[in-house]
Amino acid sequence: MNRGLCYIMYVRTYARRGFTLTEVMFTLVLLVILAGMSLSALRPAKAKGPTRGLAMALEEELSAARQLAISSGHPVALGMPTGNGARPVAASIYRLEGWNYPNLTWVKGFSGDYPGIGFVAGDWPGAASATAPVNSASKLAGFTLATWLPSDYANDYVFCFTPDGGLVGQNLKSVNGRYPVVVGSRLQASLGSVNAGNEPMTLMVSPYGGIEIVTGVPSGTLPTSSGGTAPISQPAQTTAFDDSGGVYISEIKVTPRVGGPGTEGQCVPGQYVTLEVYAYDPEGRGLFAKWKQPNLKGIFTYPDGGAGDGAVLESEVERMEFVNVAPPGIDWVTADGNSFTPPGGVFRARWGWTVPFNSEPEDRYSIEVDVKDASGQCEILNPPQPVVFEVSPRGKLIVEKLVGGIWQLVQMNPDGSNFRLLSPPGISETLASLNSTGTKMAFLRHTGGGTRVMIRPLDGGTPSFVDDGAAGAFTSVSLSPNGDWVSYRNNSSGQLITKKVNGTMRFEQTQSLLGTPYPRSRTGWSRDSKFMFFEHAKGIHWRNLESTSTGVLVENISSSIVEELYAPVGYFAHGQERVLFSLGNYNPVLMSVPVNRTGGSIDSVSASGFGDFTSTPSSNSQNMFVDLDGGGGSAGSGSFDDCYPNISSDNQWLILNRTPIGTDVDLATQATLFVGLNTVGNYEGGSTGTSRLITGDFRRAIWVP
């Protein structure tokens, strides 16, 4: 007991023991050292506080601009003003947003919250920097920041985010593949570079939108600044909107095909029609198109063609799609009737409409569209029943027919029966030419880069290219009767190229054509394929393909006559070899001349019985004569152009193109005329003789042997 009591008393005595003087002094010295170290560490943190805060604020605004671009679908740019390059340090930011033209919608200044702090989108001494690419990450096709950005901001630092989240920069530098923004106090700088500054923080912006904040500068050294801050730019001013308008609207494009005068489209019952319109807003804001059908007869495609209770929808609204470049061939409607070309991107609306199933021939439908303060209208026609050939000649034809909005080659009977598509689906092919046995066909295939010259077996075999291996501006093609020769024009060089299909022989002739209004060039051949006939210098020339000699068959010898001779065709009628061709650039008529082989040889040919052409015709060319069979008959063509004649292998039927005067034969729908060669009469579509006029969406027909 006494031992235990003694132990307890010992412990209590130890616990109540005080510190020695040495211990107290050591503790005080240690506390002073620690306090000094803490204050020293806190001083830089306090100094860097405003710099870091501004860097974080800039990070938030850059991220917000990127998210806005993604959500809105149009470019959004965060700009840092530089006073047109004279004040390189920024202390404010602004936001530009819009489609074809950006509007300044928001401005924020930082001088009040962060006095004396600024920022520069640039490099610094010792940084391994490079000029940033103009477009480093964005996949937005056709977008160019320099075009989109107004000139007032061309010298500012601009971070432009596109709807795919990519970044396009203006006046930016790159360091290690990222775009730096240096934030600091007392910045000394020039445009795009910081020379000195205090307490810097650096934002490193990735081309894909990611941002990292780095203390100081990530490479090199930024010298300390002892002077004042370089001139700071002033905040930009927001755009003042004018809601009263100024929207331009284009014509309404109607497909599958363009109709005749007075209509923009033609249709049949139940046919799906695509309506397309373009609009331009100078202020770059998104647009909506409202489609309307006042007569409430057709069916709008969206959402289900009806109003839910069986009623037909009167109108539908769609948000227009932005495209960076307006397509060519669009006509724009202006109130003052002047021409207009959009200086930037445009908005497109494309809508579907179905023709009523009870539509009757000659029914017309009106479709309207409103875009803001602009409106347009189109007429769609269920065309009258076509005129059919009353007494069909025997034989078959190859015709250019409008199929799905493009010209394709089809084979059919003259009355339209036994229709067969020769061209591949969706590929435009024109200007067919056959050999005398009807086994091979030369033609032009149209591609995005021009045209190709091709030959294909008429039984549908594999086609082959006979041009020089690339698409070009080829505007005619013709195959000799024996199928050994092909002749075509290169419109870029003005050369008429004639060569053997097997490549063993080749001729090139510089071909001079007036070309007004449109060249109707096409090489013709003698029936035995020994001579070719071609247009040149207002005449019909010939070439002997065996001896290579050349000469003139028919020449326009009067200087006062400025009419061209086009598209010669060789044929044999009434015991005579003859050449038929179109005469005239305006209101062409058909001419026929007999051909004589001089001395019975094959060295040359000449024309006879054609003396009237040396005198000047009347101004409208309607007094020119057509002599189809040598019998002396004549007829003017009225107010039509007659061109591209072709004669059946039995020499009994002529088929030709007939169009209104001055019509582009490469664009317009044609009427085609059959004429019996054994009877001469008025061939303007009347009942005289055996001629017949057929209308429809086909042109440039040739006979199949």
Side-chain angles (χ1 to χ4, degrees):
M1 288 293 293
N2 292 336
R3 291 184 60 187
L5 181 61
C6 291
Y7 173 76
I8 295 172
M9 292 297 292
Y10 173 75
V11 171
R12 288 179 178 176
T13 301
Y14 179 81
R16 298 174 70 177
R17 177 178 173 269
F19 293 104
T20 66
L21 180 60
T22 302
E23 291 173 332
V24 171
M25 292 300 294
F26 177 80
T27 302
L28 290 174
V29 171
L30 182 61
L31 289 173
V32 169
I33 293 173
L34 291 174
M37 293 175 61
S38 298
L39 291 173
S40 175
L42 288 172
R43 277 195 297 269
K46 181 179 180 181
K48 290 179 182 291
T51 305
R52 180 177 292 277
L54 180 52
M56 294 176 65
L58 290 175
E59 177 190 26
E60 292 176 358
E61 297 302 343
L62 284 165
S63 298
R66 182 175 183 268
Q67 291 303 317
L68 181 59
I70 295 172
S71 62
S72 66
H74 59 63
V76 176
L78 190 76
M80 303 174 183
T82 66
N84 199 27
R87 295 175 173 267
V89 179
S92 64
I93 57 176
Y94 58 86
R95 183 183 296 159
L96 293 166
E97 53 182 304
W99 299 87
N100 57 288
Y101 183 87
N103 292 282
L104 200 155
T105 58
W106 174 85
V107 174
K108 183 174 184 178
F110 298 101
S111 297
D113 294 332
Y114 305 96
I117 310 297
F119 42 90
V120 174
D123 56 11
W124 53 89
S129 64
T131 301
V134 174
N135 191 338
S136 56
S138 175
K139 302 176 183 63
L140 184 62
F143 177 75
T144 304
L145 179 57
T147 302
W148 182 80
L149 196 66
S151 59
D152 292 346
Y153 314 106
N155 292 316
D156 289 350
Y157 310 121
V158 177
F159 294 81
C160 183
F161 297 97
T162 52
D164 61 2
L167 173 61
V168 187
Q170 177 99 336
N171 298 322
L172 304 182
K173 297 288 185 67
S174 64
V175 175
N176 299 327
R178 294 183 292 177
Y179 308 138
V181 180
V182 179
V183 184
S185 62
R186 295 188 177 183
L187 294 180
Q188 296 294 312
S190 59
L191 187 65
S193 295
V194 183
N195 303 318
N198 300 333
E199 298 86 34
M201 303 292 294
T202 307
L203 286 82
M204 301 296 290
V205 185
S206 163
Y208 301 95
I211 304 173
E212 178 187 6
I213 299 179
V214 178
T215 301
V217 291
S219 63
T221 302
L222 183 63
T224 301
S225 174
S226 58
T229 303
I232 296 179
S233 59
Q234 298 299 315
Q237 299 297 315
T238 56
T239 303
F241 284 100
D242 178 12
D243 291 329
S244 61
V247 172
Y248 297 86
I249 189 173
S250 77
E251 63 174 336
I252 301 176
K253 288 288 188 181
V254 182
T255 52
R257 82 176 194 82
V258 175
T263 61
E264 286 73 37
Q266 293 188 8
C267 61
V268 296
Q271 181 178 357
Y272 179 85
V273 176
T274 300
L275 310 167
E276 187 175 66
V277 70
Y278 291 83
Y280 172 77
D281 181 8
E283 295 184 348
R285 290 161 293 177
L287 297 175
F288 291 82
K290 182 178 182 180
W291 296 96
K292 299 185 294 184
Q293 52 170 346
N295 49 23
L296 294 179
K297 290 185 177 180
I299 302 172
F300 278 122
T301 305
Y302 181 85
D304 59 2
D309 56 359
V312 178
L313 290 175
E314 179 182 2
S315 64
E316 274 297 335
V317 177
E318 67 168 317
R319 182 171 183 170
M320 301 185 78
E321 172 192 11
F322 181 74
V323 292
N324 286 287
V325 180
I330 299 294
D331 293 330
W332 292 82
V333 180
T334 59
D336 55 10
N338 294 326
S339 60
F340 172 75
T341 301
V346 298
F347 294 87
R348 175 179 62 194
R350 184 181 292 159
W351 208 253
W353 179 80
T354 302
V355 182
F357 289 93
N358 60 354
S359 177
E360 298 289 339
E362 301 189 39
D363 281 351
R364 288 178 178 266
Y365 305 95
S366 176
I367 303 294
E368 299 176 2
V369 64
D370 289 337
V371 181
K372 207 176 180 210
D373 58 342
S375 62
Q377 178 178 310
C378 67
E379 294 287 335
I380 301 174
L381 170 69
N382 184 344
Q385 295 291 344
V387 179
V388 297
F389 198 69
E390 297 175 10
V391 180
S392 175
R394 296 179 180 179
K396 292 184 179 295
L397 301 173
I398 293 179
V399 183
E400 294 177 24
K401 179 174 177 59
L402 203 57
V403 180
I406 61 173
W407 291 102
Q408 294 191 297
L409 298 176
V410 301
Q411 182 173 312
M412 66 181 190
N413 292 336
D415 61 1
S417 60
N418 294 329
F419 179 91
R420 180 167 71 96
L421 184 65
L422 301 179
S423 299
I427 296 179
S428 178
E429 295 179 343
T430 61
L431 273 173
S433 176
L434 295 174
N435 62 349
S436 60
T437 58
T439 55
K440 288 196 296 187
M441 176 178 66
F443 58 95
L444 295 179
R445 173 172 288 182
H446 301 265
T447 67
T451 51
R452 299 295 304 268
V453 182
M454 305 186 72
I455 290 181
R456 177 167 56 216
L458 198 59
D459 62 4
T462 303
S464 59
F465 296 101
V466 292
D467 49 37
D468 294 326
F474 303 122
T475 56
S476 71
V477 63
S478 182
L479 190 65
S480 66
N482 61 10
D484 292 343
W485 294 87
V486 64
S487 182
Y488 55 94
R489 174 180 168 84
N490 185 337
N491 217 43
S492 294
S493 63
Q495 296 291 108
L496 180 66
I497 301 168
T498 305
K499 62 183 181 182
K500 279 203 167 183
V501 174
N502 62 15
T504 57
M505 294 182 67
R506 179 186 179 108
F507 305 113
E508 291 192 16
Q509 166 76 43
T510 300
Q511 192 179 32
S512 174
L513 299 176
L514 292 178
T516 304
Y518 300 100
R520 300 174 176 89
S521 175
R522 185 183 62 188
T523 297
W525 314 86
S526 64
R527 286 286 173 164
D528 57 9
S529 298
K530 293 180 179 179
F531 288 86
M532 61 177 285
F533 306 106
F534 59 94
E535 314 95 329
H536 176 56
K538 297 191 296 182
I540 301 296
H541 291 229
W542 57 265
R543 178 188 293 274
N544 187 320
L545 297 173
E546 295 184 355
S547 68
T548 73
S549 59
T550 61
V552 180
L553 180 68
V554 180
E555 185 176 12
N556 186 344
I557 62 175
S558 173
S559 61
S560 61
I561 300 176
V562 291
E563 300 283 7
E564 189 75 272
L565 282 64
Y566 289 110
V569 175
Y571 69 107
F572 196 86
H574 299 281
Q576 272 187 330
E577 186 174 8
R578 304 182 68 87
V579 171
L580 180 70
F581 53 89
S582 295
L583 166 65
N585 302 11
Y586 180 85
N587 191 203
V589 295
L590 297 183
M591 309 295 294
S592 176
V593 297
V595 175
N596 299 321
R597 302 205 181 196
T598 303
S601 70
I602 62 171
D603 291 334
S604 63
V605 294
S606 63
S608 61
F610 194 55
D612 291 341
F613 188 48
T614 59
S615 60
T616 304
S618 63
S619 59
N620 62 10
S621 300
Q622 293 188 21
N623 292 332
M624 286 302 187
F625 296 110
V626 58
D627 184 3
L628 298 177
D629 64 348
S634 65
S637 65
S639 58
F640 295 97
D641 290 354
D642 291 342
C643 55
Y644 289 109
N646 185 262
I647 297 176
S648 62
S649 57
D650 60 5
N651 300 300
Q652 295 299 306
W653 290 94
L654 163 71
I655 191 170
L656 58 101
N657 236 54
R658 168 159 285 187
T659 66
I661 290 178
T663 304
D664 184 349
V665 295
D666 285 329
L667 296 177
T669 301
Q670 312 294 310
T672 298
L673 183 70
F674 294 101
V675 180
L677 288 180
N678 55 358
T679 302
V680 177
N682 186 311
Y683 63 99
E684 293 182 292
S687 59
T688 304
T690 56
S691 62
R692 294 293 185 272
L693 183 67
I694 296 183
T695 60
D697 52 355
F698 54 86
R699 67 183 185 187
R700 286 194 288 222
I702 63 171
W703 292 99
V704 178

